Amino acid sequence: MDYLAQIDKKKTPVHVAIIMDGNGRWAKKQGHERLYGHNFGVESVREVLKASTDLGIKYLTLYAFSTENWNRPKEEVDGLMDLLVRSIANEIEELMSSDVRLLTIGDTDGLPGSCQAELKSAMTKTEKNKTINLALALNYSSRWEMTNALKQISRKVSSGEIKEAEINDQMISDHLTTKGIPDPELIIRTSGEHRLSNFLLWQAAYSEFYFCDVLWPDFKREDLFKAVLDYQSRERRFGMVSEQLT
C-alpha cells in the first residue's frame, strides 16, 4: 500500500517525536550483543529523517539516551557514547547537504567530553540550516527538565526578577530545554511498549500517540508514513466538542 500517496501534506504535523525502542531485542533476535542493534538503528534514523523532510515536518525529536540509561551495563553505555560520536562525525556532510539543523535537549553537560565537543561542532556548523530541525534527546529526563525549570523560576522569584503571579504555562515552557521548539503533535514509540518513559511529559499534554510493534532497526519510511496517516485520521479537539471544530 502506498501510504505516502494518501497523506495530506498540508496537514502533516509540524513536530514529530520518536521513542526509538527495540535495538537490544532486535540484536538478540539476530544472535548478537545489544550494541549490534544500536548500530543498525542508525540506518533507521537516516531513513526517518529523510522521510520527515519529504513530508515537510519541521521538527523531529529522537529519544536517544535517557538519564536512566546510565544504569545499563558499562560496555553498552561506553559503546553508545562511541557510536554517538562516530555517527555525528560521519553524518555532518549529509546534514549540511540536506539542510538539517541539529539541536539537543537534555543535560548534555553530563555527557563525556568527546560527545559534547562533537555535538557543539555539529550544531555550530548546521545552525543556519532551515529545512528541518533534528533534536536529539541526550541524557534527557522529563522530570529532571521540569525540576530544573522550577529551580530556575524559583531563583528568579527570590531575586525579585519575576513575581510569583507572573508564572504561567508559557514561562515554564520557556525554562525547559525544549524552549523554542513547538510541542509535538505526534509521539511515536516503537517495539510494542506503551509508555512515555520520562519523555516530554510537559510537552505531550495534547500530543497524539502512536504505538507500533516494529523494533526500531526495522522501522523505515513506510512505518513513519503509516503513523502520520493514522494521525491525520484523528480529530484533535483540545477539550472542545466536535461541533465546535466545524
Side-chain angles (χ1 to χ4, degrees):
M1 182 180 293
D2 188 352
Y3 294 104
L4 178 58
Q6 300 177 60
I7 292 174
D8 182 351
K9 290 189 177 181
K10 294 179 180 179
K11 297 180 180 179
T12 54
V14 172
H15 182 184
V16 173
I18 304 179
I19 302 172
M20 305 179 294
D21 196 17
N23 286 335
R25 277 168 282 170
W26 184 89
K28 287 185 176 181
K29 285 187 175 183
Q30 315 299 318
H32 293 279
E33 296 297 320
R34 294 175 58 86
L35 274 173
Y36 182 79
H38 293 304
N39 276 280
F40 269 83
V42 173
E43 180 55 36
S44 293
V45 172
R46 293 191 190 103
E47 281 214 25
V48 168
L49 178 58
K50 178 64 168 62
S52 297
T53 303
D54 292 343
L55 288 176
I57 292 167
K58 300 302 293 182
Y59 291 85
L60 175 66
T61 297
L62 302 178
Y63 201 7
F65 192 86
S66 74
T67 53
E68 289 83 5
N69 287 156
W70 293 112
N71 296 319
R72 292 185 176 186
K74 185 178 184 301
E75 59 271 20
E76 182 178 352
V77 172
D78 289 345
L80 281 168
M81 292 299 107
D82 179 64
L83 177 62
L84 175 62
V85 171
R86 286 188 287 109
S87 296
I88 294 171
N90 292 338
E91 298 297 323
I92 190 65
E93 281 191 26
E94 181 61 31
L95 294 178
M96 292 303 296
S97 64
S98 300
D99 201 33
V100 178
R101 180 188 178 206
L102 182 67
L103 307 169
T104 61
I105 61 172
D107 184 13
T108 54
D109 289 342
L111 295 173
S114 57
C115 293
Q116 292 186 49
E118 204 65 56
L119 285 166
K120 184 178 180 180
S121 174
M123 288 191 289
T124 299
K125 289 177 181 176
T126 64
E127 64 183 355
K128 294 183 179 179
N129 294 346
K130 297 180 179 179
T131 296
I132 186 170
N133 299 274
L134 173 62
L136 299 180
L138 295 164
N139 198 24
Y140 179 84
S141 154
S142 194
R143 288 184 174 182
W144 165 84
E145 179 183 44
M146 288 190 283
T147 300
N148 189 54
L150 290 173
K151 287 179 179 178
Q152 291 180 56
I153 294 170
S154 177
R155 285 194 292 268
K156 289 181 179 180
V157 171
S158 296
S159 69
E161 185 178 343
I162 60 173
K163 297 178 181 178
E164 182 180 337
E166 296 175 324
I167 299 173
N168 56 26
D169 287 5
Q170 188 58 55
M171 181 177 290
I172 293 172
S173 293
D174 287 344
H175 285 79
L176 300 176
T177 61
T178 52
K179 178 183 178 181
I181 300 174
D183 291 342
E185 292 99 329
L186 173 62
I187 296 179
I188 300 168
R189 181 164 188 154
T190 61
S191 88
E193 303 292 350
H194 292 73
R195 56 180 177 270
L196 279 176
S197 296
N198 207 357
F199 182 54
L200 300 179
L201 301 180
W202 174 272
Q203 299 86 340
Y206 280 101
S207 299
E208 298 294 327
F209 296 96
Y210 180 86
F211 301 102
C212 65
D213 294 331
V214 180
L215 300 176
W216 179 248
D218 290 327
F219 191 90
K220 304 303 179 187
R221 290 174 58 87
E222 288 299 308
D223 296 295
L224 177 67
F225 296 156
K226 283 175 64 176
V228 171
L229 191 61
D230 181 83
Y231 162 84
Q232 291 189 345
S233 72
R234 304 182 190 184
E235 183 179 68
R236 307 188 73 216
R237 296 189 295 274
F238 301 98
M240 296 183 286
V241 298
S242 299
E243 290 74 12
Q244 288 176 289
L245 298 178
T246 55

